């Protein structure tokens, strides 16, 4: 082979080697650039999720968007099975939820975790109350409720809109707020617990039942206790049985209704049966067809629950939901001895224990904790009262 040919081949080999090196360098640069882009995207995503208000993501509440209570002193930490309690905290009723939680916590040694569902503008006030009072020993999680979640699900009738309180629907979304819990208790804010909440949590639910409620009709164990306590104690008091959508369900109008102010929920079964989706379906249908009774006097959350849980719910011991204390004449209906023996008292009705005209306000006063920010005052109390 001639010298010139060998030189030509060597030059070609050198060129090929240089090209391969360039290709390898380009691939390395591309890989580095790709990794940088991925890292930046992950960082941007993390910043987005933890942006200005990490608790408020419209339409969705996720575990990492909740704010947990500060670290407790080791000697104050309660152990054992967790009892998740879901309760709402409206700014204008913040003293009520504080009294309710205090009564739950002080009457039990159980490992209670309060999941407090509230609006964004109430968080700071709530946190001061939780950290600057005797409640600083309590385990809690603050969850922001976004009203956008209810778009298309509640009436747009201006005459009825004022009565719609977004937080009242929080009970529909319990599995979303506490996705890891298998069982939970929901409590209205106008309650006082006098028994050990562990007993209520241990309520046995029948197989296939996602929730237990307290029935409104008289029962053998409650005869004479709830008789005449309210005008609505059956389905016809809550639903319009003239509407076709209600007729098709085949429900009996005189079926005993129940009160959803206290719920013991099997959240595993709740999720399996898609209870939340079912409730939203009936909310949307009502917004379109006005399915609820024209004489509906109280909670607009009750009708969809009555439909979804028709003859498919377990019962709560009546002493764990003694209600209608906020109704006219409650002071004459219940004896002081009976009220003292009740495990849970519920001031459902127009007259609340922090107002002027309610019955058995002394029971509520026992658990009320003065607002450290001095914004909330029971109406009958002076600003300096404790």
């Amino acid at each position: 082979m001639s010298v010139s040919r060998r030189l030509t081949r060597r030059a070609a080999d050198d060129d090929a080697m240089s090209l391969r090196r360039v290709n390898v360098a380009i691939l390395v640069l591309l890989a580095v650039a790709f990794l940088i882009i991925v890292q930046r995207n992950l960082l941007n995503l993390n910043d987005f999720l933890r942006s200005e208000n990490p608790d408020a993501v419209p339409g969705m509440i996720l575990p990492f968007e909740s704010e947990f209570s500060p670290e407790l002193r080791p000697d104050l930490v309660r152990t054992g099975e967790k009892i998740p309690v879901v309760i709402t905290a409206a700014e204008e009723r913040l003293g009520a939820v504080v009294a309710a939680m205090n009564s739950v916590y002080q009457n039990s040694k159980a490992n209670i975790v309060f999941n407090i569902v509230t609006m964004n503008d109430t968080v700071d006030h709530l946190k001061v109350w939780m950290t600057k009072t005797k409640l600083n020993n309590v385990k809690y999680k603050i969850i922001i409720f976004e009203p956008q979640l209810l778009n298309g699900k509640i009436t747009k009738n201006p005459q009825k809109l004022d009565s719609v309180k977004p937080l009242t629907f929080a009970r529909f979304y319990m599995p979303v707020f506490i996705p890891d819990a298998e069982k939970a208790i929901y409590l209205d804010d106008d309650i006082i617990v006098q028994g050990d909440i562990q007993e209520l949590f241990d309520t046995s639910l029948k197989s296939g039942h996602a929730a237990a409620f307290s029935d409104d009709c008289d029962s053998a164990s409650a005869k004479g206790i709830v008789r005449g306590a309210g005008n609505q104690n059956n389905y016809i008091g809550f639903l319009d049985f003239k509407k076709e959508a209600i007729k098709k369900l085949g429900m009996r109008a005189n079926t005993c209704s129940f009160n959803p102010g206290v719920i013991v929920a099997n959240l595993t079964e709740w999720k399996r049966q898609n209870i939340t989706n079912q409730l939203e379906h009936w909310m949307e249908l009502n917004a379109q067809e006005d399915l609820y009774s024209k004489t509906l006097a109280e909670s607009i959350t009750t009708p969809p629950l009555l439909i979804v849980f028709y003859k498919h719910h377990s019962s709560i011991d009546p002493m764990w939901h003694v209600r209608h204390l906020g109704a006219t004449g409650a002071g004459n209906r219940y004896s002081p001895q009976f009220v003292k023996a009740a495990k849970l008292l519920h001031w459902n009705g127009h007259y609340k224990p922090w107002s002027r005209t309610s019955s058995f306000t002394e029971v509520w006063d026992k658990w009320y904790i003065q607002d450290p920010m001095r914004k909330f005052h029971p109406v009958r109390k002076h600003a300096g009262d404790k």
Side-chain angles (χ1 to χ4, degrees):
M1 184 179 293
S2 65
V3 173
S4 61
R5 192 174 292 178
R6 284 199 300 272
L7 290 174
T8 300
R9 178 174 292 179
R10 182 178 295 174
D13 291 340
D14 289 341
D15 288 341
M17 181 66 70
S18 298
L19 183 60
R20 282 196 294 272
R21 287 173 179 168
V22 170
N23 287 339
V24 169
I26 291 172
L27 288 173
V28 170
L29 289 174
L30 287 173
V32 171
F34 175 77
L35 291 173
I36 291 172
I37 291 170
V38 169
Q39 183 186 32
R40 285 181 177 175
N41 285 340
L42 289 173
L43 289 173
N44 289 337
L45 177 61
N46 185 65
D47 289 342
F48 170 74
L49 293 176
R50 300 181 181 279
S51 59
E52 193 174 79
N53 182 3
D55 290 300
V57 175
M60 198 64 176
I61 311 293
L62 298 173
F64 52 76
E65 296 157 8
S66 303
E67 183 169 340
F68 290 84
S69 53
E71 283 288 323
L72 302 181
R73 280 172 36 195
D75 58 314
L76 296 176
V77 174
R78 295 183 180 182
T79 58
E81 178 186 26
K82 287 183 180 179
I83 297 182
V85 175
V86 178
I87 193 165
T88 61
E91 178 67 29
E92 69 275 11
R93 295 163 65 113
L94 209 49
V97 70
V98 165
M101 289 191 295
N102 189 33
S103 72
V104 172
Y105 187 78
Q106 299 297 337
N107 283 305
S108 178
K109 299 298 183 184
N111 186 14
I112 303 161
V113 180
F114 291 103
N115 300 273
I116 310 169
V117 186
T118 190
M119 308 294 273
N120 190 46
D121 57 3
T122 305
V123 173
D124 290 341
H125 189 184
L126 175 61
K127 285 166 65 176
V128 170
W129 221 327
M130 297 298 293
T131 57
K132 303 298 183 182
T133 66
K134 66 171 71 175
L135 292 177
N136 62 2
N137 297 331
V138 171
K139 294 178 185 176
Y140 66 88
K141 180 172 71 171
I142 296 176
I143 304 165
I144 302 299
F145 187 86
E146 286 293 329
Q148 293 96 318
L149 197 61
L150 303 178
N151 288 348
K153 302 180 183 73
I154 54 177
T155 180
K156 293 184 179 179
N157 185 336
Q159 294 181 337
K160 297 180 179 179
L161 203 55
D162 287 342
S163 64
V164 176
K165 307 297 183 185
L167 285 175
T168 194
F169 297 98
R171 71 197 84 189
F172 291 4
Y173 299 94
M174 285 189 284
V176 182
F177 299 145
I178 42 177
D180 296 330
E182 296 181 358
K183 192 176 184 181
I185 293 172
Y186 168 83
L187 299 174
D188 272 355
D189 61 1
D190 52 353
I191 63 95
I192 288 295
V193 170
Q194 300 185 129
D196 187 340
I197 199 74
Q198 180 75 57
E199 183 181 331
L200 179 62
F201 187 72
D202 290 339
T203 297
S204 178
L205 275 68
K206 294 179 181 178
S207 176
H209 286 184
F213 306 93
S214 185
D215 292 330
D216 287 325
C217 301
D218 291 352
S219 66
S221 60
K223 206 145 185 83
I225 295 174
V226 296
R227 184 183 300 280
N231 296 323
Q232 294 172 296
N233 64 359
N234 52 37
Y235 271 50
I236 200 169
F238 294 89
L239 297 164
D240 187 346
F241 277 79
K242 294 179 181 179
K243 294 296 175 71
E244 193 61 29
I246 301 300
K247 285 182 181 179
K248 287 180 179 179
L249 294 173
M251 300 184 300
R252 293 177 63 88
N254 64 351
T255 301
C256 180
S257 57
F258 54 77
N259 186 294
V262 177
I263 306 173
V264 179
N266 178 337
L267 297 183
T268 301
E269 194 65 36
W270 190 295
K271 288 183 282 190
R272 190 187 71 79
Q273 297 180 31
N274 293 317
I275 297 294
T276 297
N277 290 341
Q278 292 186 56
L279 293 169
E280 288 184 324
H281 165 74
W282 287 105
M283 289 170 67
E284 291 168 355
L285 202 58
N286 174 67
Q288 299 165 14
E289 302 181 16
D290 199 16
L291 304 178
Y292 302 165
S293 171
K294 300 298 185 295
T295 61
L296 186 64
E298 290 189 8
S299 174
I300 59 172
T301 59
T302 303
L305 286 163
L306 292 178
I307 294 172
V308 173
F309 287 102
Y310 178 70
K311 292 189 175 181
H312 200 66
H313 67 275
S314 297
S315 296
I316 290 173
D317 180 341
M319 294 300 284
W320 268 104
H321 195 176
V322 174
R323 51 201 180 279
H324 305 299
L325 272 72
T328 303
N332 297 323
R333 185 174 302 113
Y334 301 114
S335 70
Q337 294 78 13
F338 174 73
V339 168
K340 185 177 180 180
K343 302 292 183 68
L344 183 149
L345 301 169
H346 188 184
W347 279 264
N348 61 312
H350 294 295
Y351 306 109
K352 302 303 181 185
W354 53 91
S355 65
R356 290 191 178 93
T357 54
S358 179
S359 300
F360 303 107
T361 55
E362 69 281 359
V363 178
W364 187 86
D365 288 343
K366 177 181 176 182
W367 302 106
Y368 174 67
I369 301 172
Q370 186 176 3
D371 181 3
M373 294 182 70
R374 308 185 78 79
K375 291 182 178 181
F376 180 95
H377 304 289
V379 175
R380 64 188 180 282
K381 285 179 173 286
H382 297 293
D385 289 348
K386 295 186 178 181

